[in-house]
């Protein structure tokens, strides 16, 4: 009798089949990058009136105390996870944001249950962007970009090669080796694209003049520009020949670093910016019909051989861009002019405004990140996405989360994490 007395209690406590599914462990097995505790809250938590977290699966990170704050109990308990890391100490500490603060960021004190229509949100966003002043923080250089800071919440700092696009590894053979592709085919595609990149850079983007006068940002020499009308300016006959511009002609061209020489340098960067903005959505307009056909073929074949790598990365870029309170910024080790040529030829001009492109060739990624933090301020949360040690180290130095891109799966997981608003 005692046996039958206890049996129902045991059965009712331990045997229901509904218990195992509650763990939902398999949901996160496809998210190796979101399983590690880090200091970012789900993005939707910072969107009052847009989306609440009640409709989402619970974020797998434990002990996230509040909006934009680090968990004091955070420890890097998963040394085997190499996809991203979040150091517990560093110079940059995003500030806690209360619900009231979050509401003020949205531009109106809406109840959390109220959602603005998409068109209204976009109109509201444009209005606020146009009314906001310049960035807080004192940067060494002024980046003349659209007003930003007060309404931005997250900035994603992207590497270019082997993160968004596949280019350098086509030339070295490492992509073919890693993913089992035909080395000769892959190398040939890389060489053809390289030729297009430097042809565009030399022919239209002043790379012959600017190769030895490389800048971190397109506005770095803008202070030397006197605003002269360049409509009929003859760049071929102004005597500027890169760093040796003052050679035989003496005072007529000015010595390197002199006022006249710097002004001519600034003219080139101004025209470079105009060309980028004019053709960022139609780079074919800068190419001959034959080169245009070649570019279309190369884009298609590279997408095919890389198993739609760029298209997969674009999904995340466009999702971030659509949020309104987020921004994509490019930080590449390529020199600025060839980097701009790459961005245009790979069809990324509409994703990255020229003001949001930085070259780390001269100063390194850590210093680039420092400039970006100076431009946008420390209340913004930064997320670094890349494949290399340079950006990973720079992210750690600034206490920014780092998302490693090594395979297609990493790009897919990134997009899923963004969709679920874990990032």
């Amino acid at each position: 009798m005692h046996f039958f007395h206890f049996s129902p209690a045991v059965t009712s406590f331990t045997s229901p089949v509904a218990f195992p599914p509650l763990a939902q462990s398999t949901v996160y097995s496809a998210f190796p990058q979101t399983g590690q505790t880090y200091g970012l809250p789900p993005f939707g938590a910072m969107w009052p009136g847009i989306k609440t977290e009640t409709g989402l699966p619970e974020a797998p990170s434990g002990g996230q105390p509040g909006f934009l704050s680090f968990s004091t109990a955070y420890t890097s308990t998963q040394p085997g996870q190499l996809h991203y890391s979040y150091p517990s100490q560093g110079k940059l500490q995003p500030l806690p944001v209360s619900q009231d603060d979050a509401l003020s960021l949205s531009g109106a004190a809406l109840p959390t249950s109220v959602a603005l229509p998409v068109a209204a949100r976009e109109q509201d966003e444009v209005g606020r962007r146009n009314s906001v002043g310049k960035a807080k923080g004192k940067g060494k250089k002024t980046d003349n970009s659209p007003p930003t800071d007060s309404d931005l919440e997250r900035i994603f700092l992207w590497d270019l090669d082997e993160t968004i696009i596949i280019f350098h590894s086509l030339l070295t053979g490492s992509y073919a080796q890693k993913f089992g592709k035909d080395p000769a085919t892959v190398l040939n595609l890389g060489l053809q694209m390289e030729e297009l990149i430097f042809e565009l850079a030399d022919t239209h983007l002043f790379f012959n003049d600017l190769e030895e006068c490389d800048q971190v940002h397109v506005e770095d020499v803008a202070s030397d520009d006197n605003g002269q009308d360049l409509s009929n300016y003859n760049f071929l006959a102004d005597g500027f020949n890169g760093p040796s511009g003052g050679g035989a002609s003496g005072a007529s061209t000015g010595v390197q670093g002199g006022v006249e020489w710097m002004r001519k340098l600034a003219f080139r960067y101004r025209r470079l910016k105009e060309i980028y903005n004019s053709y960022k959505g139609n780079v074919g307009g800068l190419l001959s019909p034959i080169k245009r056909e070649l570019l279309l073929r190369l884009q298609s074949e590279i997408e095919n051989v890389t198993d739609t790598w760029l298209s997969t990365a674009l999904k995340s870029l466009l999702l971030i861009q659509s949020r309104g309170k987020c921004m994509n910024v490019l930080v590449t080790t390529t020199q600025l002019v060839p980097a701009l040529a790459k961005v245009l030829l790979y069809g990324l001009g509409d994703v990255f405004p020229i003001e949001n492109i930085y070259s780390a060739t001269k100063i390194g990624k850590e210093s680039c990140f420092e400039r970006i933090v100076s431009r946008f301020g420390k209340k913004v949360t930064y997320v670094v996405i890349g494949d290399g040690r340079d950006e990973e180290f720079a992210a750690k130095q600034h206490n920014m989360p780092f998302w490693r891109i090594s395979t297609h799966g990493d790009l897919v997981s990134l997009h899923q994490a963004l969709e679920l608003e874990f990032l």
Side-chain angles (χ1 to χ4, degrees):
M1 295 292 290
H2 288 289
F3 175 81
F4 289 104
H5 175 72
F6 286 104
S7 179
V10 174
T11 302
S12 63
F13 184 77
T14 61
S15 66
V17 293
F19 179 74
L22 290 177
Q24 294 286 339
S25 60
T26 55
V27 173
Y28 299 110
S29 62
F31 285 81
Q33 306 208 35
T34 58
Q36 182 174 342
T37 305
Y38 62 105
L40 286 171
F43 182 75
M46 305 190 308
W47 282 66
I50 305 301
K51 193 170 187 179
T52 62
E53 291 305 300
T54 56
L56 292 175
E58 184 178 347
S61 53
Q64 292 184 4
F67 306 128
L68 290 180
S69 61
F70 293 120
S71 168
T72 54
Y74 171 78
T75 55
S76 183
T77 56
Q78 300 179 8
Q81 290 239 5
L82 298 178
H83 292 295
Y84 70 75
S85 55
Y86 206 147
S88 57
Q89 294 182 358
K91 289 184 282 186
L92 177 60
Q93 293 285 345
L95 300 178
V97 178
S98 68
Q99 183 71 11
D100 291 337
D101 291 332
L103 285 169
S104 67
L105 283 171
S106 71
L110 293 173
T112 56
S113 59
V114 177
L116 285 171
V118 174
R121 289 204 305 270
E122 291 175 350
Q123 186 175 359
D124 181 57
E125 182 67 22
V126 171
R128 280 183 286 109
R129 283 183 175 276
N130 290 338
S131 66
V132 174
K134 287 188 177 180
K136 296 177 183 178
K138 299 178 180 179
K140 295 179 182 179
K141 305 285 184 180
T142 300
D143 302 330
N144 295 333
S145 56
T148 51
D149 289 0
S150 67
D151 56 340
L152 277 175
E153 289 175 357
R154 295 194 183 173
I155 294 177
F156 293 80
L157 306 179
W158 291 81
D159 178 43
L160 181 60
D161 282 47
E162 282 58 59
T163 297
I164 301 173
I165 68 173
I166 299 297
F167 173 67
H168 186 255
S169 61
L170 299 180
L171 298 171
T172 62
S174 59
Y175 186 89
Q177 182 179 14
K178 182 175 182 179
F179 295 102
K181 306 294 182 179
D182 178 60
T185 301
V186 170
L187 175 60
N188 185 46
L189 290 173
L191 290 172
Q192 290 183 84
M193 182 57 85
E194 181 182 48
E195 186 178 345
L196 267 184
I197 289 168
F198 284 105
E199 181 176 323
L200 178 63
D202 290 338
T203 306
H204 295 287
L205 306 181
F206 302 103
F207 190 48
N208 284 325
D209 286 348
L210 302 179
E211 183 175 7
E212 302 301 324
C213 317
D214 192 42
Q215 304 297 318
V216 175
H217 188 271
V218 72
E219 297 287 354
D220 282 357
V221 291
S223 60
D224 295 297
D225 193 332
N226 63 1
Q228 177 180 330
D229 182 10
L230 300 180
S231 302
N232 300 311
Y233 189 85
N234 189 341
F235 287 94
L236 296 175
D238 70 347
F240 183 94
N241 295 303
S244 58
S249 302
S252 64
T253 57
V255 295
Q256 180 185 0
V259 174
E260 275 195 68
W261 187 87
M262 289 299 295
R263 184 165 64 244
K264 291 170 184 175
L265 178 66
F267 288 168
R268 280 157 173 77
Y269 276 98
R270 186 186 356 146
R271 176 56 61 87
L272 172 62
K273 181 178 178 180
E274 292 170 356
I275 293 170
Y276 183 95
N277 288 333
S278 297
Y279 293 95
K280 62 183 181 181
N282 179 33
V283 68
L286 292 172
L287 306 175
S288 67
I290 294 176
K291 295 295 184 181
R292 196 155 52 237
E293 289 181 17
L294 172 61
L295 174 61
L296 291 174
R297 180 177 62 81
L298 286 175
Q299 288 175 334
S300 175
E301 292 184 9
I302 290 175
E303 270 296 270
N304 183 52
V305 79
T306 61
D307 302 312
T308 66
W309 185 287
L310 174 58
S311 297
T312 308
L314 264 173
K315 289 180 181 179
S316 292
L317 286 162
L318 294 175
L319 179 55
I320 291 166
Q321 190 177 49
S322 71
R323 282 179 169 177
K325 288 180 177 287
C326 294
M327 178 180 286
N328 293 305
V329 173
L330 187 67
V331 184
T332 174
T333 51
T334 305
Q335 283 185 277
L336 185 60
V337 174
L340 296 176
K342 282 184 189 178
V343 170
L344 291 173
L345 290 169
Y346 276 85
L348 296 166
D350 286 326
V351 177
F352 291 106
I354 194 169
E355 296 87 359
N356 290 354
I357 299 176
Y358 291 79
S359 169
T361 305
K362 288 172 63 175
I363 65 173
K365 291 207 168 182
E366 186 181 349
S367 295
C368 274
F369 289 2
E370 189 173 332
R371 278 193 57 175
I372 293 166
V373 172
S374 294
R375 172 182 167 187
F376 294 106
K378 293 187 177 183
K379 290 188 177 182
V380 180
T381 301
Y382 300 86
V383 180
V384 181
I385 304 168
D387 72 302
R389 292 183 177 181
D390 287 349
E391 52 264 26
E392 182 176 14
F393 177 78
K396 287 181 178 178
Q397 293 301 107
H398 287 280
N399 202 28
M400 299 171 179
F402 175 70
W403 191 288
R404 182 187 302 284
I405 300 296
S406 299
T407 65
H408 298 80
D410 299 331
L411 288 170
V412 172
S413 294
L414 173 63
H415 183 251
Q416 290 174 327
L418 288 165
E419 276 193 316
L420 293 174
E421 299 187 344
F422 295 155
L423 286 174

